[in-house]
Amino acid sequence: MERVFHEDTLLTGTGADCVARALFDVARDLPLICPHGHTDPAWFATDAPFADPAALLVTPDHYITRMFASQRMRLEDFGVERADGRGSAPDPRDIWRRFAEHYYLFRGTPTRLWLDITFDRLFGLTRPLSASTADESFDLISERLVSPEFRPRALFVRFNIEVLATTDGALDPLSHHRALADGSWSGRIVPTYRPDQITDPDHEDFAAGLKGLAEITGEDTGTWAGYLEAHRIRRAFFRELGATATDHGVPDAATADLAPGDAAALYDRVRRDRAEPGDAALFRAQMLTEMARMSAEDGMVMQIHPGALRNHNRKVFAAYGRDRGFDIPTRAEFTRSLAPLLNAVGDAPGLKIVLFTLDESVYARELAPLAGAWPCLTLGPAWWFHDSVEGMRRFREQTTETAGIYNTAGFNDDTRAFPSVPARHEVARRVDCAYLAGLVADHRLREDEAFEMIAELTTGLARRTYRL
Amino acid sequence: MERVFHEDTLLTGTGADCVARALFDVARDLPLICPHGHTDPAWFATDAPFADPAALLVTPDHYITRMFASQRMRLEDFGVERADGRGSAPDPRDIWRRFAEHYYLFRGTPTRLWLDITFDRLFGLTRPLSASTADESFDLISERLVSPEFRPRALFVRFNIEVLATTDGALDPLSHHRALADGSWSGRIVPTYRPDQITDPDHEDFAAGLKGLAEITGEDTGTWAGYLEAHRIRRAFFRELGATATDHGVPDAATADLAPGDAAALYDRVRRDRAEPGDAALFRAQMLTEMARMSAEDGMVMQIHPGALRNHNRKVFAAYGRDRGFDIPTRAEFTRSLAPLLNAVGDAPGLKIVLFTLDESVYARELAPLAGAWPCLTLGPAWWFHDSVEGMRRFREQTTETAGIYNTAGFNDDTRAFPSVPARHEVARRVDCAYLAGLVADHRLREDEAFEMIAELTTGLARRTYRL
Amino acid sequence: MERVFHEDTLLTGTGADCVARALFDVARDLPLICPHGHTDPAWFATDAPFADPAALLVTPDHYITRMFASQRMRLEDFGVERADGRGSAPDPRDIWRRFAEHYYLFRGTPTRLWLDITFDRLFGLTRPLSASTADESFDLISERLVSPEFRPRALFVRFNIEVLATTDGALDPLSHHRALADGSWSGRIVPTYRPDQITDPDHEDFAAGLKGLAEITGEDTGTWAGYLEAHRIRRAFFRELGATATDHGVPDAATADLAPGDAAALYDRVRRDRAEPGDAALFRAQMLTEMARMSAEDGMVMQIHPGALRNHNRKVFAAYGRDRGFDIPTRAEFTRSLAPLLNAVGDAPGLKIVLFTLDESVYARELAPLAGAWPCLTLGPAWWFHDSVEGMRRFREQTTETAGIYNTAGFNDDTRAFPSVPARHEVARRVDCAYLAGLVADHRLREDEAFEMIAELTTGLARRTYRL
């Protein structure tokens, strides 16, 4: 290279396509690091075959079922069980036909892209899914699913997964993780400590959770000190089974740093069901800081997922329960919200916090400036509704210039749909390749740098961020 | 097609230009569906020729006059009448010359694009508008306007308008619509029920509106039940003249679902001018829910346009009155605001609500997730300041991945400027063609799908959303 | 040109690269107008050589040092002095090596682009900065810095700077500006009136400031009238030395328009340290309106920079003081906030206010509609975290369609790093050339218009906005 600066910088952008292809040739074959997701550890512990195409790909995927709900179709017609147990489960083939007939609704969505990649790569479908190909695709996928190559462990190997984290309640006995730890299979599957039930006084099972926590740890959760100690015990238990991270779903990013006596009094009120207005929110805020303190001690990476208003449709919640696609984001604030936590523990050497958001307006305004300054903060990838082609592009365009890529966490597939794991990684890798190729074509980056960066975005950052 | 997935997906984006042209070849000739706008039904009822170029294209267009105000020019110099009646109307040619001399101010704005399309397509101007072409363009347009081909009804036919909705106050006698309904002309022009005057206690003519409502319906608007019944009567009257929709301009999207007794008491307070702080806002919120209930009964599509702070410049308001370009958007919130209405009536089979926003940060965060789940919700197109090339692109990029296009409403021209109607549709169609072509070039969509989708975006969605 | 409208409008976008290069061929050689920045007037008054590469390019640049802090490096290892004076200054070469070794962290950031342009254009480095080129680049830059061609005045001339504004506290004696005004050197360097210390009761030196203000002006700052008069005197003093503008850094854009008696009573409370809750904020709000009134009188252009929460990391503030990269943006609001000021003085013929934001969500929603209507308002360029390639693109894409470019202020380099001044202008010009070329390729603009506009964006708008 004869100059450190190209005269066409920012003016032409030509040649991006070749660079993008060359980058993806490298990215394609790197292993999958899956530090955050919602697959079921039982699949890998039992290695039982998956049931049928609808049960595998349609019914459990609320990205799919909510789209049908938005078009006045009934969730039970896609196999979603009613909370009252009424109604009979539809025939899987009928679900699949209904799904195929309305597959056009997903045009332009990431769901469509993930499914097409899965159909092509995993099942070898050669014709686009539609009413006219519903039966042949159902038959073909069904046939594959009964073969040994499509058992969960075989897919795990085929997908080239290096490590996969599940997300598990604080009281979960982790029996499947224990079974997997017996050494009979080499796949690396680790749990993640998710204590929302016992940190959120508004959770319907909070009281039961505190009781369970006492039983499972032997600590006296009637005291603040005992309650905190019980957390430490459970965190250690999770770590023994390979956990490197915790996860916290909260309505907002508010944190607090109360004096110990005030925190104990607050705990006493929420525990005894004598909470005053604002106490539940304050307790959640205080617990984020307490969890950060423990992370600084025990090295578990802390993930914060704020911003969803859960169960927006009360009738759907009553009829079908949680996680039915009616969780709607709200406006987010991080700058003021995180200050108490950060000023309490944010400079601790061992602390690492990964921040997520459902409100993209905070990327450039708050999150990138925070992660570009505070040593403990790392930006998690574009999340949920924003885990999409345009969403990931906006994430890169709105965070890189202030935070760089080295304060970001790599990709999370964050899915319940195991067969879509490689497709989700592939889409993210393609978007990142195109993004870096654009910078190279713009002469904002040299090609050799882009190759180093795609390896980081694909595997390096995730491994280091999550200490995997 | 041999594969359901292309190996260049998301990497190259080549070939978009040919696809875009091919899509526009189809979109260009489809009829115009105009379900929301502000043209004057008198034009079509009387079919009188338009006055002159300035009165047709400059004076009534607050997109134009506010830009001149921003550059320290006086509104009256562009023909805007003062509220106090002082000052004499400038000569139309002088207005036009002033307009032409400062036409450069609109470079990069949609106004410039709409006008250039109108100059080219409708009036056949061949030289760009500027000080040096002011007179020749004034003369040429003036000459055309007196010819029979440029009368309102002739233009309606020439523009290939299938149906055009006006926006009309709840107390409007709709005399022009009645005249148009006599069968002597085949153009389809329908009214829209806009009851802001009688649903907003802060409206300066609220009290007079309630009185007028009683007179025009014979109902006792001194009671909550009578007031609601009077709405039903007016809605039925609008429907008789072809109305399929209502429209609601509100400062924000707040909704409420009060117990009937509380609602009646609230109505009693605002009606008697005994409103307490917050009552006006609460009444507007309650009335959105009441209007949604009536829509669920009578099938009228409900449009909600929230977010403008009206008459920001008090001196301009005092001097020239409303709608002078000083309505400024404010931050929006939908997730919490709509929950009361949606949980009251949002699952009703007949209900359809079209949502608009002036705050783009809610597209991906709130509106797409809401419309991608609730069956009654549909996203209206990019509105007002965002009805622009970049605004429409952002709308597609920020809503499609979560809501799909099938939960969107197609295009609204939303204009007072009748000659710009086809130009506005043409710009929207071009932007949509380019957007779809980009998806095809990215291999996120097949070409056959893009052709189906452009027909939907251009005509299908608008017809179905507005039940036209 | 035979048509005012091209049939490929918005569909193809081909040919942008040639137009961009042609535009930049013009923009490259235009002089630099620098109406807002933070360079040190002492450099030009004394014309002493710059010390060494690290002291010039690394230590004072908080864009650089905060990125290292975010990666757990210590600020003092980059030469940042501790407030307690402990620790010894590292060797400049060691700082440079550390910087070079971690230069990869800036990939994809504007800092990287500015530095590479500076390395190439100013210092003639031919190999990319890295650990392996650290020493050769340190030696080469060091060698240059001692030569006469790299003295501040020589660089000022070489950079083709037409005028450069510094930013100066209201009590600053402006001794360097007075020295520069002696006529011995032709470079035009003007001060800017920045009175935050004496308009913000929360400023730690507010009380001392009022005392100093009394001494320096001879006015009785114990009264509201005397305090205001003292401002007028200082503004006049700044104007004598060439100032054409004031600058106001505020937590938010709130303004107020109190009755004179209420304002005087408020001043009395904050002056006597008897402020009630909300008084400090209200005083800042009132002072923005007072400053606007004075600007309407004396013609000084008023700049408002709201939205940063200062010193977010309390330990870093305690250890190293202000401006260490821990100022984090917060959500902004302008529509309601500016209404009191605008309705008080916004139609005054001489008033010009330049608005900045750290919250991009207000560009299209609030700032462009405000600047596209109010005659006194002009949009300042993308600021601070948004002074970047993507940030400037978003600024153009989100403001031009509503406000046009003629309600914007041109570019500010806003830097403490004098050698980066031309690089920052070059990046901005390239981004603007590419933006305009895109409009031309999209047929939204004719090529002759783009050439007029690039001259405006580069020099014309800045000269006129700032009355330079």
Side-chain angles (χ1 to χ4, degrees):
Chain A
M1 179 146 207
E2 291 165 12
R3 292 274 300 275
V4 298
F5 178 74
H6 194 289
E7 285 305 328
D8 272 349
T9 299
L10 301 177
L11 297 180
T12 65
T14 48
D17 52 351
C18 295
V19 179
R21 279 199 202 94
L23 289 169
F24 188 66
D25 276 346
V26 171
R28 180 202 317 264
D29 299 323
L30 294 173
L32 308 192
I33 319 292
C34 308
H36 179 94
H38 300 272
T39 52
D40 185 344
W43 295 333
F44 309 103
T46 65
D47 203 32
F50 291 111
D52 65 75
L56 180 65
L57 296 167
V58 180
T59 304
D61 188 337
H62 60 63
Y63 286 71
I64 292 176
T65 53
R66 68 153 177 81
M67 181 68 94
F68 292 138
S70 81
Q71 293 278 319
R72 299 194 187 280
M73 289 177 261
R74 298 189 313 166
L75 294 179
E76 60 244 63
D77 290 339
F78 294 92
V80 178
E81 284 179 38
R82 295 185 58 93
D84 60 12
R86 287 191 310 185
S88 56
D91 181 72
R93 185 179 294 270
D94 287 342
I95 296 175
W96 190 259
R97 284 175 177 165
R98 205 169 284 124
F99 167 58
E101 185 189 349
H102 296 99
Y103 190 53
Y104 72 92
L105 292 172
F106 297 96
R107 288 169 176 169
T109 71
T111 293
R112 149 70 184 269
L113 205 47
W114 298 327
L115 284 166
D116 274 4
I117 295 178
T118 305
F119 292 155
D120 176 278
R121 294 269 190 281
L122 189 58
F123 297 111
L125 303 192
T126 56
R127 298 206 302 155
L129 186 67
S130 68
S132 68
T133 61
D135 279 337
E136 73 182 41
S137 57
F138 185 85
D139 292 338
L140 197 144
I141 297 173
S142 298
E143 189 187 305
R144 304 253 145 115
L145 289 182
V146 296
S147 76
E149 295 81 10
F150 284 77
R151 294 269 180 100
R153 291 183 178 187
L155 289 180
F156 189 99
V157 172
R158 172 174 171 173
F159 291 168
N160 195 18
I161 296 176
E162 184 173 300
V163 55
L164 180 142
T166 61
T167 303
D168 314 272
L171 306 183
D172 192 302
L174 303 182
S175 46
H176 296 299
H177 291 88
R178 279 188 285 180
L180 284 161
D182 72 359
S184 65
W185 180 58
S186 65
R188 185 174 172 202
I189 292 175
V190 302
T192 302
Y193 186 67
R194 172 102 175 208
D196 298 353
Q197 182 194 346
I198 55 174
T199 56
D200 179 6
D202 287 335
H203 195 289
E204 60 264 39
D205 297 325
F206 178 68
L210 295 189
K211 197 153 166 288
L213 183 64
E215 286 161 12
I216 207 167
T217 63
E219 288 295 319
D220 176 8
T221 61
T223 73
W224 175 233
Y227 167 74
L228 292 179
E229 188 56 28
H231 272 289
R232 284 191 198 95
I233 290 168
R234 291 306 294 164
R235 293 169 67 106
F237 174 67
F238 273 65
R239 281 201 305 286
E240 276 167 36
L241 289 163
T244 68
T246 71
D247 184 30
H248 307 273
V250 276
D252 55 61
T255 66
D257 184 28
L258 300 174
D262 294 340
L266 173 64
Y267 176 65
D268 202 55
R269 290 199 301 279
V270 300
R271 185 181 64 80
R272 289 164 176 273
D273 210 9
R274 294 186 184 168
E276 296 164 12
D279 270 358
L282 184 59
F283 188 74
R284 287 191 295 264
Q286 179 64 24
M287 283 312 298
L288 285 182
T289 304
E290 299 297 342
M291 290 290 108
R293 274 200 192 98
M294 291 187 198
S295 279
E297 288 167 16
D298 65 20
M300 293 180 87
V301 177
M302 181 179 185
Q303 301 172 88
I304 305 180
H305 284 90
L309 188 71
R310 302 278 170 178
N311 309 315
H312 197 261
N313 187 325
R314 293 202 303 258
K315 284 186 191 124
V316 166
F317 178 60
Y320 304 100
R322 290 175 163 261
D323 295 328
R324 296 307 176 200
F326 282 86
D327 301 326
I328 310 290
T330 58
R331 196 186 290 149
E333 205 284 333
F334 286 88
T335 303
R336 289 193 173 87
S337 298
L338 292 180
L341 182 157
L342 291 171
N343 279 298
V345 67
D347 294 297
L351 181 62
K352 192 168 288 180
I353 298 175
V354 187
L355 296 175
F356 296 82
T357 190
L358 294 174
D359 178 358
E360 295 175 307
S361 75
V362 302
Y363 283 160
R365 185 179 71 216
E366 304 180 31
L367 290 183
L370 284 164
W374 281 95
C376 61
L377 295 181
T378 302
L379 300 187
W383 174 39
W384 197 341
F385 299 104
H386 310 305
D387 177 12
S388 64
V389 177
E390 304 297 343
M392 288 187 280
R393 281 184 187 165
R394 287 194 293 267
F395 177 83
R396 291 280 172 235
E397 290 174 359
Q398 293 176 26
T399 66
T400 306
E401 294 186 308
T402 290
I405 69 155
Y406 297 92
N407 285 305
T408 64
F411 181 65
N412 287 179
D413 51 70
D414 193 22
T415 188
R416 292 161 210 279
F418 184 55
S420 80
V421 165
R424 287 168 186 248
H425 283 263
E426 179 166 341
V427 169
R429 291 174 184 195
R430 286 175 180 270
V431 171
D432 282 338
C433 287
Y435 170 70
L436 293 175
L439 296 184
V440 171
D442 236 10
H443 304 289
R444 285 193 262 172
L445 213 58
R446 296 189 314 275
E447 204 164 323
D448 64 302
E449 296 178 296
F451 278 94
E452 282 182 35
M453 290 164 84
I454 194 62
E456 285 294 305
L457 293 174
T458 302
T459 54
L461 289 165
R463 278 192 202 113
R464 286 202 307 281
T465 298
Y466 286 94
R467 296 168 175 164
L468 286 167
Chain B
M1 176 144 209
E2 293 166 11
R3 292 274 299 274
V4 298
F5 177 75
H6 194 288
E7 284 306 328
D8 272 348
T9 299
L10 300 177
L11 296 180
T12 66
T14 49
D17 51 351
C18 296
V19 179
R21 279 199 201 95
L23 289 169
F24 188 65
D25 276 346
V26 171
R28 182 200 316 264
D29 299 323
L30 295 173
L32 309 191
I33 317 292
C34 308
H36 179 95
H38 300 271
T39 53
D40 186 345
W43 295 333
F44 310 102
T46 65
D47 204 31
F50 292 110
D52 65 76
L56 179 64
L57 296 168
V58 180
T59 304
D61 188 337
H62 60 62
Y63 286 70
I64 292 176
T65 54
R66 69 153 177 82
M67 181 68 94
F68 292 137
S70 81
Q71 293 279 318
R72 299 194 187 281
M73 289 177 261
R74 298 189 313 166
L75 293 179
E76 59 245 62
D77 291 339
F78 294 92
V80 178
E81 284 179 38
R82 294 185 58 93
D84 59 12
R86 288 190 310 184
S88 55
D91 181 70
R93 185 179 294 270
D94 287 342
I95 296 175
W96 190 260
R97 284 176 178 163
R98 207 170 283 125
F99 167 57
E101 186 189 346
H102 297 97
Y103 190 53
Y104 72 92
L105 293 172
F106 297 96
R107 288 169 176 168
T109 71
T111 293
R112 149 71 183 269
L113 205 46
W114 297 328
L115 283 166
D116 273 4
I117 295 177
T118 306
F119 292 155
D120 176 278
R121 293 267 190 283
L122 188 58
F123 297 111
L125 302 192
T126 57
R127 298 206 301 156
L129 186 67
S130 68
S132 69
T133 61
D135 279 337
E136 73 181 43
S137 57
F138 185 84
D139 292 338
L140 197 143
I141 297 173
S142 299
E143 190 186 305
R144 306 254 144 113
L145 290 182
V146 296
S147 75
E149 295 81 10
F150 284 78
R151 294 269 181 99
R153 290 184 179 187
L155 290 180
F156 188 100
V157 172
R158 173 173 171 174
F159 291 168
N160 196 16
I161 296 175
E162 183 173 300
V163 56
L164 181 141
T166 62
T167 304
D168 313 272
L171 307 182
D172 194 302
L174 303 182
S175 46
H176 297 299
H177 290 88
R178 278 187 286 180
L180 284 162
D182 72 358
S184 64
W185 180 57
S186 65
R188 184 174 173 203
I189 292 176
V190 301
T192 301
Y193 186 66
R194 171 101 175 210
D196 298 352
Q197 183 194 346
I198 54 174
T199 55
D200 179 6
D202 288 334
H203 195 289
E204 61 265 37
D205 297 324
F206 179 67
L210 295 190
K211 196 153 165 286
L213 183 63
E215 286 161 12
I216 207 167
T217 62
E219 289 295 319
D220 175 9
T221 61
T223 72
W224 175 233
Y227 167 74
L228 292 179
E229 187 56 28
H231 272 289
R232 284 191 199 94
I233 291 168
R234 292 304 294 164
R235 294 169 66 108
F237 173 67
F238 273 65
R239 281 200 305 286
E240 276 166 34
L241 289 163
T244 67
T246 72
D247 185 31
H248 307 272
V250 276
D252 56 60
T255 66
D257 184 27
L258 300 175
D262 295 338
L266 173 65
Y267 176 65
D268 202 56
R269 290 198 301 278
V270 300
R271 186 180 64 80
R272 291 165 175 271
D273 209 10
R274 294 187 183 167
E276 296 165 13
D279 270 358
L282 184 58
F283 188 74
R284 287 191 296 265
Q286 180 65 24
M287 282 311 298
L288 285 182
T289 305
E290 299 297 342
M291 290 290 108
R293 273 199 193 100
M294 291 187 199
S295 279
E297 288 166 17
D298 66 20
M300 293 181 86
V301 178
M302 181 178 185
Q303 300 172 89
I304 304 180
H305 284 90
L309 188 70
R310 302 278 170 177
N311 309 313
H312 198 261
N313 187 325
R314 293 202 303 257
K315 285 185 191 125
V316 165
F317 177 59
Y320 304 100
R322 290 174 165 262
D323 294 329
R324 295 309 176 199
F326 283 86
D327 301 326
I328 311 291
T330 57
R331 195 186 291 150
E333 205 283 334
F334 286 87
T335 303
R336 289 193 173 87
S337 299
L338 293 181
L341 182 157
L342 290 171
N343 280 299
V345 67
D347 293 297
L351 182 61
K352 192 168 289 181
I353 299 176
V354 188
L355 296 175
F356 296 82
T357 190
L358 294 173
D359 178 357
E360 295 175 305
S361 74
V362 302
Y363 282 159
R365 185 180 70 216
E366 303 179 32
L367 290 183
L370 283 165
W374 281 95
C376 61
L377 295 181
T378 302
L379 299 187
W383 174 38
W384 198 341
F385 299 103
H386 310 304
D387 176 11
S388 65
V389 177
E390 303 297 343
M392 288 187 280
R393 281 185 188 165
R394 287 193 292 268
F395 177 83
R396 291 280 172 236
E397 289 173 359
Q398 294 176 25
T399 65
T400 307
E401 294 186 308
T402 290
I405 69 155
Y406 297 91
N407 284 306
T408 65
F411 181 65
N412 286 180
D413 52 71
D414 193 22
T415 187
R416 293 161 209 279
F418 184 55
S420 81
V421 164
R424 287 168 186 248
H425 283 263
E426 180 166 341
V427 169
R429 290 174 184 195
R430 286 176 181 269
V431 171
D432 282 338
C433 288
Y435 169 71
L436 293 175
L439 296 184
V440 171
D442 237 9
H443 304 288
R444 285 193 262 171
L445 213 58
R446 296 189 316 274
E447 205 165 324
D448 63 303
E449 295 178 297
F451 278 93
E452 283 182 34
M453 290 164 84
I454 194 63
E456 285 294 305
L457 293 174
T458 303
T459 54
L461 289 166
R463 275 191 203 115
R464 285 203 306 281
T465 298
Y466 287 95
R467 296 168 175 164
L468 286 166
Chain C
M1 179 146 207
E2 292 165 11
R3 292 274 300 274
V4 298
F5 177 76
H6 194 290
E7 285 305 329
D8 272 349
T9 299
L10 301 176
L11 297 180
T12 66
T14 50
D17 52 350
C18 296
V19 179
R21 279 199 200 95
L23 289 169
F24 188 65
D25 276 345
V26 171
R28 181 201 318 265
D29 299 322
L30 294 173
L32 309 192
I33 318 291
C34 308
H36 179 96
H38 300 272
T39 54
D40 186 345
W43 295 333
F44 309 103
T46 65
D47 204 31
F50 291 110
D52 65 76
L56 180 64
L57 296 168
V58 179
T59 304
D61 189 337
H62 60 63
Y63 286 71
I64 292 176
T65 54
R66 68 155 177 80
M67 181 68 94
F68 293 138
S70 80
Q71 292 279 319
R72 299 194 185 280
M73 288 177 262
R74 298 188 314 165
L75 293 179
E76 60 246 62
D77 290 340
F78 294 92
V80 178
E81 284 179 38
R82 295 185 58 93
D84 59 11
R86 286 192 309 186
S88 56
D91 181 70
R93 185 178 295 270
D94 287 342
I95 296 175
W96 190 259
R97 285 176 178 164
R98 207 169 283 125
F99 168 58
E101 185 188 348
H102 296 97
Y103 190 53
Y104 72 92
L105 292 171
F106 297 96
R107 289 170 176 167
T109 72
T111 293
R112 149 70 184 269
L113 205 47
W114 297 327
L115 284 166
D116 274 4
I117 295 177
T118 306
F119 292 155
D120 176 277
R121 294 268 190 283
L122 189 58
F123 297 111
L125 302 192
T126 55
R127 297 207 301 156
L129 186 68
S130 68
S132 68
T133 61
D135 279 337
E136 74 182 42
S137 57
F138 184 84
D139 291 338
L140 196 144
I141 296 173
S142 299
E143 189 187 306
R144 305 254 145 114
L145 289 183
V146 296
S147 77
E149 295 81 9
F150 285 78
R151 293 270 181 98
R153 290 184 179 186
L155 290 181
F156 188 99
V157 172
R158 171 174 171 172
F159 291 168
N160 196 18
I161 296 175
E162 183 173 300
V163 56
L164 180 140
T166 61
T167 303
D168 313 272
L171 306 182
D172 192 304
L174 302 182
S175 45
H176 297 299
H177 290 88
R178 278 188 285 180
L180 284 162
D182 72 359
S184 64
W185 181 58
S186 64
R188 185 175 172 203
I189 293 176
V190 301
T192 301
Y193 186 67
R194 171 99 175 211
D196 298 352
Q197 183 194 347
I198 55 174
T199 54
D200 180 5
D202 288 335
H203 195 289
E204 60 265 38
D205 297 324
F206 179 67
L210 295 190
K211 196 153 165 287
L213 183 64
E215 286 161 11
I216 207 168
T217 62
E219 288 295 320
D220 176 8
T221 61
T223 72
W224 174 233
Y227 167 74
L228 293 179
E229 188 56 28
H231 272 289
R232 284 191 199 94
I233 290 169
R234 292 306 294 165
R235 294 169 66 107
F237 173 67
F238 273 66
R239 282 201 305 286
E240 277 167 34
L241 289 164
T244 68
T246 71
D247 185 30
H248 306 273
V250 277
D252 56 60
T255 66
D257 185 27
L258 300 175
D262 294 340
L266 172 64
Y267 177 65
D268 202 56
R269 290 197 300 277
V270 299
R271 186 181 64 80
R272 292 164 176 271
D273 210 10
R274 293 187 186 168
E276 296 164 13
D279 271 357
L282 184 58
F283 188 75
R284 287 191 297 264
Q286 180 64 25
M287 283 311 298
L288 285 182
T289 304
E290 299 297 342
M291 291 290 108
R293 275 202 190 96
M294 291 187 199
S295 279
E297 287 167 17
D298 65 20
M300 294 180 86
V301 178
M302 181 179 186
Q303 300 171 90
I304 304 179
H305 284 91
L309 188 72
R310 302 277 170 179
N311 309 314
H312 197 261
N313 186 326
R314 293 202 304 257
K315 284 186 191 124
V316 166
F317 178 60
Y320 304 100
R322 289 176 164 262
D323 294 328
R324 296 308 175 200
F326 282 86
D327 302 327
I328 311 291
T330 56
R331 198 186 289 150
E333 204 285 332
F334 286 88
T335 302
R336 289 193 172 86
S337 299
L338 292 180
L341 182 157
L342 290 170
N343 280 300
V345 68
D347 293 297
L351 181 62
K352 193 168 288 179
I353 298 175
V354 187
L355 296 175
F356 296 82
T357 190
L358 294 174
D359 178 356
E360 296 176 306
S361 75
V362 303
Y363 282 159
R365 184 179 71 216
E366 304 179 32
L367 290 183
L370 284 164
W374 281 95
C376 62
L377 296 181
T378 302
L379 300 187
W383 174 39
W384 197 342
F385 299 104
H386 311 303
D387 177 12
S388 65
V389 176
E390 303 298 341
M392 290 188 279
R393 281 185 188 165
R394 287 193 291 267
F395 177 83
R396 292 281 171 234
E397 290 173 359
Q398 294 176 24
T399 66
T400 307
E401 294 186 309
T402 290
I405 70 155
Y406 297 92
N407 285 306
T408 66
F411 181 64
N412 287 179
D413 51 71
D414 192 22
T415 187
R416 294 160 208 278
F418 184 56
S420 80
V421 165
R424 286 168 188 250
H425 283 263
E426 180 166 340
V427 169
R429 290 174 185 194
R430 286 176 181 270
V431 171
D432 282 338
C433 288
Y435 169 70
L436 292 175
L439 295 185
V440 171
D442 237 9
H443 304 289
R444 285 193 262 172
L445 213 58
R446 296 190 315 274
E447 204 165 324
D448 64 302
E449 295 178 296
F451 278 93
E452 283 182 35
M453 290 165 84
I454 194 63
E456 285 293 305
L457 293 174
T458 303
T459 54
L461 288 166
R463 278 192 201 114
R464 285 203 308 281
T465 298
Y466 286 94
R467 296 169 175 162
L468 287 167

